Amino acid sequence: MNPYMTYPAEIKKIIKHTDIDYTFFVEKIMEVKGGQFVQVSVPKFGEVPISISDFDDELMELTIRKVGRVTDGIFNKEIGDFLQIRGPYGNNFQSEVHFGKDLIMVTGGTGLAPVKSVINYFHRNLDKINSFKLISGFKSSQDILFKDSFKEWEKNMDICLTIDRPEEGWRGNTGFVTEHVAKLNLPNIENVSVIMVGPPPMMKFTGIELSKLGIKDEQIWVSFERKMSCGIGKCGHCKIDETYVCLEGPVFRYDKASKLID
């Protein structure tokens, strides 16, 4: 079997979040788990690794930022067109690890996409955790993803949606996610689980703030989905020291992830 073989998935729906961030709903042609990623290719353009933002029995959501040649080709697609997909690759966020815990998620920008399915899982199964807190930061109100989802989550979950700086007309939270992490009131530190995903500086300084609160690295999980490349450990582009992120990750516990210096 050719490991680079792709399969066509029809685009059923497209949601435009910002000028450069779209979610493509494609037919679900494979079994996937939250935190995994797929390779999406467009003939004559190339291929790109994309994390799976959500899925159900029929559809799979791919939230994509327009940043180059391949994503330009994807953004030229319309409903009814096909994307060539292979995968899924990588490990996943194991929901059962957080059962009975005080779960905190911290995301920065598009780092929300890889954990959207996990948030939705616990949104439907709040009885499986003790409490839930999401701190999600964006540069500005114009950069916010999944606005309709936030409205649903806020109905029965503790949500802190923040933008970096005050702006006219914005009446929500402001400041970096690290500022809001520092304000957390955690009476039972030993029962806390954390998932954080975002740009490297955001994860580094969030980790520092969590440590100040007494949370151990063993209680934190992160995703290095940004490091994905070929997905099968052949190109070496995702390798950090002796670790192939595509084979061992992209989800790591922080006691290992903090030692993977990129």
Side-chain angles (χ1 to χ4, degrees), residues 5 18 36 90 94 106 118 120 159 173 195:
M5 181 69 71
T18 73
Q36 290 187 306
Q94 299 178 31
V106 187
V118 183
N120 278 330
I159 306 296
N173 297 296
I195 295 174

Side-chain angles (χ1 to χ4, degrees), residues 15 25 29 32 36 54 56 71 84 100 113 124 136 154:
I15 290 181
F25 293 72
I29 60 173
V32 300
Q36 290 187 306
D54 207 355
D56 57 25
T71 51
Q84 295 292 322
R124 298 188 299 267
S136 188
E154 288 172 345

Side-chain angles (χ1 to χ4, degrees), residues 42-168:
V42 181
K44 299 181 181 180
F45 286 85
E47 71 172 6
V48 63
I50 300 294
S51 57
I52 302 161
S53 50
D54 207 355
F55 56 91
D56 57 25
D57 292 338
E58 298 180 353
L59 297 176
M60 184 166 64
E61 298 180 26
L62 305 175
T63 301
I64 301 173
R65 171 162 285 185
K66 187 179 181 182
V67 292
R69 175 180 169 82
V70 183
T71 51
D72 285 349
I74 296 172
F75 272 53
N76 288 335
K77 298 287 187 178
E78 299 177 349
I79 295 173
D81 290 339
F82 289 82
L83 293 175
Q84 295 292 322
I85 294 176
R86 62 179 173 92
Y89 300 112
N91 59 1
N92 63 292
F93 290 105
Q94 299 178 31
S95 299
E96 60 271 18
V97 170
H98 310 290
F99 287 178
K101 301 290 187 177
D102 296 302
L103 178 57
I104 300 168
M105 288 194 185
V106 187
T107 68
T110 56
L112 178 61
V115 297
K116 180 173 179 278
S117 64
V118 183
I119 298 171
N120 278 330
Y121 173 81
F122 285 113
H123 184 251
R124 298 188 299 267
N125 299 276
L126 283 173
D127 60 312
K128 293 186 181 297
I129 49 177
N130 187 52
S131 67
F132 181 93
K133 173 76 174 184
L134 170 65
I135 301 174
S136 188
F138 295 89
K139 287 184 179 180
S140 73
S141 61
Q142 301 303 310
D143 297 303
I144 296 174
L145 306 179
F146 312 125
K147 292 180 180 179
D148 289 341
S149 294
F150 273 108
K151 292 177 183 178
E152 286 299 313
W153 297 336
E154 288 172 345
K155 291 178 181 178
N156 59 357
M157 301 174 86
D158 187 357
I159 306 296
C160 174
L161 173 60
T162 183
I163 61 174
D164 289 355
R165 296 173 181 82
E167 59 182 53
E168 186 175 355

